[in-house]
Amino acid sequence: NAGVMQNPRHLVRRRGQEARLRCSPMKGHSHVYWYRQLPEEGLKFMVYLQKENIIDESGMPKERFSAEFPKEGPSILRIQQVVRGDSAAYFCASSPPGTSVSPLHFGNGTRLTVT
Amino acid sequence: AQSVTQLGSHVSVSEGALVLLRCNYSSSVPPYLFWYVQYPNQGLQLLLKYTTGATLVKGINGFEAEFKKSETSFHLTKPSAHMSDAAEYFCAVSDLQAGTALIFGKGTTLSVSS
């Protein structure tokens, strides 16, 4: 049973380019979460999605960042016109549907470097 | 709003010594609490969780944590450190009544020397 799959593992972009990060949740999971990790800052929540719906985007920057989780295919975190400050590790996590408490299952992350 | 404070960004112990990683939380409702471990260049792996019931929770790799409501703490311990325990450890809190995601502390890096 494959875990949460993120690709690419490493992504290098020049300032002003677009970055697209992909996340395929664990089989049977319908909830996806994106986190950003910076050194000495831990993981910062960005957005929580269910299929075709954004549930909570309170951690997303107001500009240049967007996320989607379509009916078919992986969840995508898109960063437009990247700047050096966007360099970080971006982690995706998933959990199964339902109201009971479920821990998050994390992917291995995408490390974005903006040059 | 919920928050998590991990006291000590770096902890160093000798192999065989007690491991104690501190976590205090703030939550307006009964919290769900988690400890995760992250090895270099990997994602986070669940060590243990507290939801309801017994306040002493046992996890993988010999770790355990005790929920103390009066102290708003959820410290992680292991009686005897192993070299393979060297990693970064994150405490997290969740208020699933609000339908929000986990809120993480800033992490504690554990170093184990021989």
Side-chain angles (χ1 to χ4, degrees):
Chain A
N1 186 15
V4 178
M5 304 300 292
Q6 289 188 249
N7 67 81
R9 288 295 306 275
H10 300 275
L11 181 62
V12 179
R13 285 287 178 267
R14 291 198 178 100
R15 280 179 297 171
Q17 291 184 320
E18 178 180 283
R20 282 195 178 209
L21 288 63
R22 294 175 181 77
C23 169
S24 296
M26 283 184 68
K27 186 177 181 180
H29 286 194
S30 58
H31 300 189
V32 167
Y33 308 78
W34 285 94
Y35 287 82
R36 177 164 60 179
Q37 184 177 32
L38 291 165
E40 309 296 327
E41 291 190 18
L43 280 84
K44 297 292 187 184
F45 167 73
M46 300 181 74
V47 62
Y48 162 36
L49 311 102
Q50 296 178 17
K51 284 285 187 181
E52 300 184 280
N53 285 305
I54 296 175
I55 306 302
D56 180 359
E57 57 181 348
S58 58
M60 286 279 272
K62 298 293 183 217
E63 298 178 349
R64 302 186 298 107
F65 285 72
S66 63
E68 62 177 9
F69 189 18
K71 185 176 181 180
E72 301 291 338
S75 175
I76 305 288
L77 179 67
R78 181 191 301 175
I79 311 172
Q80 296 177 301
Q81 299 175 329
V82 295
V83 301
R84 287 221 172 100
D86 297 333
S87 296
Y90 292 83
F91 288 93
C92 170
S94 71
S95 65
T99 57
S100 60
V101 176
S102 297
L104 302 185
H105 297 260
F106 282 83
N108 285 334
T110 293
R111 281 150 185 84
L112 172 66
T113 302
V114 179
T115 61
Chain B
Q2 295 173 299
S3 65
V4 174
T5 301
Q6 290 184 240
L7 298 175
S9 58
H10 291 86
V11 171
S12 296
V13 300
S14 299
E15 194 172 20
L18 171 71
V19 175
L20 171 60
L21 304 183
R22 299 178 186 274
C23 172
N24 288 89
Y25 69 90
S26 172
S27 177
S28 58
V29 297
Y32 301 116
L33 296 158
F34 305 80
W35 275 99
Y36 282 83
V37 61
Q38 184 181 30
Y39 298 102
N41 298 316
Q42 293 187 21
L44 277 71
Q45 178 183 355
L46 179 69
L47 272 179
L48 49 79
K49 65 178 180 181
Y50 168 79
T51 54
T52 58
T55 57
L56 181 63
V57 180
K58 295 186 184 298
I60 62 172
N61 301 338
F63 284 93
E64 61 183 34
E66 186 171 10
F67 170 60
K68 292 187 177 181
K69 184 178 179 180
S70 61
E71 299 178 7
T72 60
S73 69
F74 191 55
H75 301 331
L76 182 71
T77 60
K78 182 174 180 177
S80 177
H82 192 272
M83 297 293 284
S84 60
D85 294 327
E88 190 160 19
Y89 292 80
F90 292 93
C91 181
V93 63
S94 173
D95 170 14
L96 289 189
Q97 293 184 36
T100 58
L102 296 187
I103 304 301
F104 285 86
K106 291 187 177 182
T108 298
T109 300
L110 175 65
S111 299
V112 182
S113 58
S114 57

